[in-house]
Amino acid sequence: MNTKLKCLLLDDELPGLTYLKMLCEQIPEVEIVKTFNNPEKLLTEIPDLEFDLLISDIEMPGIDGLHLAEMIHNKLVIFCTAYKDYAAEAFNIDAVDYITKPVKLERLQKAISKAFERISKPETAKKFIQLNTDKGKTLLYFNQIQYIKTAVSDSRDKTVLLSDGSFLNLKNVKFDTLLKELPETDFCRVNKKEIVAVKAIKFFNHNEIVLHHLEENNKNTTLLLSETYRSDFLKKVKI
């Protein structure tokens, strides 16, 4: 594991943000990737940032820290706030720690240690991920997925075909995010718009993949195998 925790810092009040940054700079295990004083700006930049931990205020204009944390999947969060009222909600969304202001260096170091413990624990094999759909949150089990494609209605969304023949519409999620969560040996991207479960494949050739799934016209679903992803695909199917 990397010896440093890559951190984002967020506080809408600049003096508080400056103070938090100063404290973090005194903790050798912390690498500050970027600081923000606007939660909306942080959200827009997150897809391009590599980080392990967000240290965030809670009460902010626009998006509060609790809702922001729920939008960031699979990242650790430590809250630093002047209010004690949100502690229960913070731990309900699995926050690493909850620090009340004024933040002391020793207290922040303790929270960082908790984050290290959390990130260094060997993960048991995950069987599902939690994602937002057009009907609310869902637990998407890996063994139910046949393929995932870009939604027709909105390219930011993804449509998932499940093993029972039904479809789920995932809201505002990137293929890269999904690929990081899906078991690497079981799933493969085959073109710019589709990911396939290896077990769902019936036949394939140099340019096409035919799935077991039958569409309404009683023909098997066929996916394009593009040149960009062909090599990785062939490794996955051990050819």
Side-chain angles (χ1 to χ4, degrees):
M1 192 194 82
N2 196 324
T3 55
K4 287 182 179 286
L5 275 177
K6 295 179 182 293
C7 296
L8 302 183
L9 310 182
L10 172 64
D11 194 319
D12 64 304
E13 296 181 356
L14 284 174
L17 183 62
T18 303
Y19 177 67
L20 180 60
K21 182 173 183 287
M22 182 267 292
L23 290 180
C24 287
E25 286 171 343
Q26 297 178 59
I27 303 174
E29 298 84 5
V30 170
E31 177 186 333
I32 301 169
V33 175
K34 197 161 185 178
T35 63
F36 294 89
N37 68 337
N38 182 305
E40 283 91 351
K41 183 168 173 54
L42 183 148
L43 271 180
T44 60
E45 292 193 26
I46 268 182
D48 302 316
L49 296 173
E50 183 185 341
F51 69 102
D52 307 302
L53 171 69
L54 169 65
I55 304 177
S56 175
D57 194 4
I58 290 184
E59 286 205 354
M60 295 176 288
I63 304 169
D64 67 60
L66 293 166
H67 286 104
L68 178 67
E70 289 182 322
M71 296 177 187
I72 303 171
H73 299 293
N74 304 309
K75 300 294 183 183
L76 303 177
V77 180
I78 293 171
F79 290 112
C80 294
T81 175
Y83 304 93
K84 297 180 180 179
D85 307 353
Y86 302 106
E89 292 175 71
F91 290 114
N92 279 341
I93 59 172
D94 205 26
V96 172
D97 211 339
Y98 187 96
I99 305 172
T100 51
K101 295 179 179 179
V103 182
K104 295 181 179 179
L105 179 60
E106 294 79 8
R107 182 67 183 86
L108 183 58
Q109 284 177 317
K110 183 179 178 182
I112 293 296
S113 295
K114 287 184 182 180
F116 257 111
E117 287 175 14
R118 188 84 74 89
I119 207 167
S120 62
K121 280 182 182 176
E123 288 191 13
T124 55
K126 291 176 67 175
K127 296 181 180 179
F128 62 85
I129 45 174
Q130 179 180 288
L131 293 165
N132 292 319
T133 75
D134 50 357
K135 296 177 181 177
K137 291 185 182 296
T138 188
L139 299 181
L140 181 61
Y141 283 81
F142 303 140
N143 63 0
Q144 293 180 349
I145 301 169
Q146 300 295 296
Y147 76 90
I148 305 170
K149 64 179 181 178
T150 301
V152 175
S153 56
D154 189 333
S155 62
R156 293 171 298 180
D157 298 344
K158 305 295 177 283
T159 300
V160 183
L161 170 67
L162 300 176
S163 52
D164 64 0
S166 64
F167 290 90
L168 269 179
N169 192 41
L170 307 177
K171 299 298 293 180
N172 197 21
V173 61
K174 295 177 180 291
F175 276 126
D176 287 347
T177 302
L178 290 169
L179 286 168
K180 285 178 184 176
E181 294 299 323
L182 295 169
E184 188 177 350
T185 55
D186 298 333
F187 292 88
C188 187
R189 191 164 184 178
V190 294
N191 58 58
K192 285 186 177 180
K193 295 187 175 182
E194 290 167 318
I195 294 171
V196 67
V198 173
K199 70 173 185 180
I201 298 167
K202 186 174 185 179
F203 307 113
F204 67 89
N205 59 36
H206 196 64
N207 300 308
E208 281 187 343
I209 298 167
V210 179
L211 305 187
H212 291 286
H213 178 254
L214 293 175
E215 298 183 351
E216 290 181 1
N217 59 9
N218 217 33
K219 291 186 177 180
N220 294 78
T221 299
T222 301
L223 311 179
L224 172 71
L225 177 56
S226 72
E227 184 178 353
T228 304
Y229 302 99
R230 187 177 296 128
S231 175
D232 187 44
F233 171 79
L234 295 177
K235 289 176 187 175
K236 291 284 174 71
V237 293
K238 296 180 172 64
I239 297 298

